[in-house]
Amino acid sequence: MGGGGGGRGCGRGGAGRGPAPRPPPRAPRGPGARGWRGVRRWYERELGWAAVPGRPPRLPTGVRFDVLDVPAEAGAGALRHLAPGSPVALRGDRMELLVAAGGAEELPGLLEWLEWGAVALDLRALGAGDALAAPLPPGWPPSPSNGLSRAVPGSRSGGAPGCLEGAAVWLRPPEPGREAEALLPAMPAMGREGCAPDLVRLVDTVAACCHRVRLRRAAGLAEGVVPSDR
């Protein structure tokens, strides 16, 4: 019994055995076919937007659009002032509202004219010389093979269940084949036709929402409660 068992074991391990198992492939050093390079190509080919290589790629502002960067809670209150196809991105607890190019330059004067200039607002603008970190294209679920697998807790998007930590997802994505610039909030003096919303009204609403968020957070801290952005 013992000898027979040894013979069978020897037979499997001797000349009759199959090829030695190959070592597992090493993880790719760079992004896969649908990694960050694919993200950049999507913006360039599908939207015609310039994209600077990087992880994530960066979309220059001040050319096709500018960006208002606000707390997500404040941005949600301003969505009604945007056209249905106006792109909006979500990055953690921040919301990025795309506006017409030149809007960032107008922002300080608008805030002064609307009497928000003396109020501390958690409101930033990206304009000429700046760049927006490219959100994942709609429908691109992160995966370990493309280097986009680390999900941000609380991120919300119909197209992607998560994103690389620090990256954004589209809440309202730009549509390929559609001129998103025609839908972006702009100054009335530009005389643009169509359904482009008024940038003045949007800035006033965003500023009021930012102020309310700041007051709520201050009240929560005064009571010893850490406010939640959810």
Side-chain angles (χ1 to χ4, degrees), residues 154-225:
S155 62
R156 302 180 295 275
S157 172
C163 60
L164 192 72
E165 185 173 356
V169 292
W170 284 112
L171 185 64
R172 294 184 179 181
E175 298 180 14
R178 186 176 184 181
E179 288 292 334
E181 292 90 334
L183 303 173
L184 300 180
M187 291 292 291
M190 291 182 180
R192 302 193 327 174
E193 300 179 357
C195 56
D198 189 336
L199 179 64
V200 178
R201 183 177 300 178
L202 175 65
V203 168
D204 192 31
T205 301
V206 167
C209 291
C210 286
H211 185 52
R212 283 195 292 268
V213 169
R214 178 173 175 271
L215 292 178
R216 277 197 296 268
R217 290 177 176 176
L221 292 174
E223 296 173 2
V225 177

Side-chain angles (χ1 to χ4, degrees), residues 85-97:
S86 185
V88 177
L90 189 68
R91 187 184 310 276
D93 62 351
R94 307 290 300 182
M95 191 174 289
E96 296 163 334
L97 313 175

Side-chain angles (χ1 to χ4, degrees), residues 23-162:
R26 292 183 298 174
R29 296 182 179 180
R34 295 198 69 181
W36 289 128
R37 286 177 294 179
V39 171
R40 176 169 57 88
R41 287 196 295 269
W42 185 85
Y43 281 99
E44 293 173 339
R45 296 176 181 178
E46 298 296 329
L47 299 181
W49 293 2
V52 180
R55 300 184 181 184
R58 302 189 68 79
L59 308 175
T61 51
V63 181
R64 306 288 292 268
F65 58 84
D66 285 353
V67 174
L68 297 184
D69 182 323
V70 302
E73 185 179 353
L79 292 180
R80 68 181 185 275
H81 290 298
L82 300 176
S86 185
V88 177
L90 189 68
R91 187 184 310 276
D93 62 351
R94 307 290 300 182
M95 191 174 289
E96 296 163 334
L97 313 175
L98 271 61
V99 300
E105 185 178 356
E106 300 284 351
L107 182 62
L110 282 178
L111 291 174
E112 288 290 341
W113 184 68
L114 294 167
E115 299 184 352
W116 288 108
V119 181
L121 300 172
D122 189 6
L123 169 60
R124 299 189 292 269
L126 301 176
D130 299 319
L132 172 69
L136 294 181
W140 280 49
S143 69
S145 64
N146 62 22
L148 307 176
S149 60
R150 295 168 56 193
V152 177
S155 62
R156 302 180 295 275
S157 172

